[in-house]
Amino acid sequence: MAITTVWKLDRIVFPATSINVIANARWQANISSMVERPAGHVSPMFVANQNQKPALEFTTPELDTLLAAITVGGASFGTIDTYFKKGAVTGSVARATTEHQRVRIASSCGYLTRIRLPHNGRAEATAVLQANYDGTNDPFAYTGSVALAGNLTAGTFFGAGPVSINGTSLGGVQEISVDTGVRLIQAGGESEEFDTFIGVEMVEPVVTIQFLQVINWATIGLRGTTLDGTNGLVFYGRKFSAGGSRVANNTAQHVKFTGLNGIAVPVDSSGQMGSPVTDTIRVQLTSASDSVLPLTINTASAIT
């Protein structure tokens, strides 16, 4: 059969905000199968769905929007609508035309997996919406022949900004990456096919930073540097200015990341032929108390 229709990504509509720029997205059924065979028989004669853990994973450059909705500690959500936009020869079918498709996630635990901020590049954050069963609605509820919600906007974009450790600025930042180390509790009962409780079990954020400077051995030291609990690790996502260059440092539109406690250790120093040496450090963050996240995020900050 010939292909006559294609489908494209569209915005993700949260209860209080929307993500308009999506680098990639993947809706996953995550079905485990029960496959059984009778005594001595080589082939299975029974198959059923053992459990299902539907999830949507997506990546966006809109750090301010996403990180305001989902902290490093995760977030609980009600209805989230996602869409497949119908393509047309000249682009896409009009948004108000009821020819698109929707997958609704009635209830979910949202969490971040990775944030990457390159020098003079497009920063991106990856998040997962782990859907759970609310007792009535399927975790993924499909509806065809719908209009698309609202209108797309241009979005916001960021790159790597300044970094400091214990109040000392470290120059030559080439890339900053955050791995959140989130692990979930996913629980159900009575042999129901879907989980009815999903929550964050642990968060162990690690920040890796690459510099075009030699800082490992003189500044960080072979045994590393303990964060002082007052200044700690601070780094920024510097906002690009639409139609211009960069948003001014003193304008509160950048993203500020702060981790007060933990340890910064050297990873390596590397070079090749006549190229500049790069240094990489890793910062393992910890919490000072059970009421404070290891890494906090201000999505509307000046760069200071």
Side-chain angles (χ1 to χ4, degrees), residues 42-121:
V42 297
S43 302
M45 296 180 66
F46 176 90
V47 63
N49 291 343
Q50 188 168 17
N51 58 61
Q52 298 190 48
K53 300 179 183 293
L56 168 61
E57 181 179 39
F58 66 95
T59 299
T60 177
E62 293 190 87
L63 299 190
D64 52 350
T65 303
L66 180 64
L67 301 182
I70 305 177
T71 71
V72 171
S76 177
F77 292 108
T79 300
I80 295 175
D81 284 335
T82 68
Y83 295 90
F84 298 112
K85 177 166 50 187
K86 188 175 183 180
V89 174
T90 56
S92 303
V93 172
R95 300 186 67 80
T97 303
T98 54
E99 296 182 17
H100 309 282
Q101 301 178 20
R102 183 184 71 205
V103 175
R104 172 167 288 176
I105 303 172
S107 177
S108 64
C109 173
Y111 65 97
L112 305 168
T113 59
R114 190 165 189 265
I115 305 167
R116 177 177 173 270
L117 301 102
H119 162 61
N120 277 348

Side-chain angles (χ1 to χ4, degrees), residues 63 71 77 92 107 134 149 170 180 183 200 208 229 266 275 278 290 300:
L63 299 190
T71 71
F77 292 108
S92 303
S107 177
D134 65 2
L170 302 175
T180 62
R183 184 185 300 174
V200 174
T208 304
S275 300
T278 61
D290 61 0

Side-chain angles (χ1 to χ4, degrees), residues 172-191:
V173 175
Q174 299 300 294
E175 182 174 288
I176 308 166
S177 64
V178 180
D179 291 299
T180 62
V182 172
R183 184 185 300 174
L184 296 182
I185 299 171
Q186 297 176 256
E190 296 77 49
S191 295

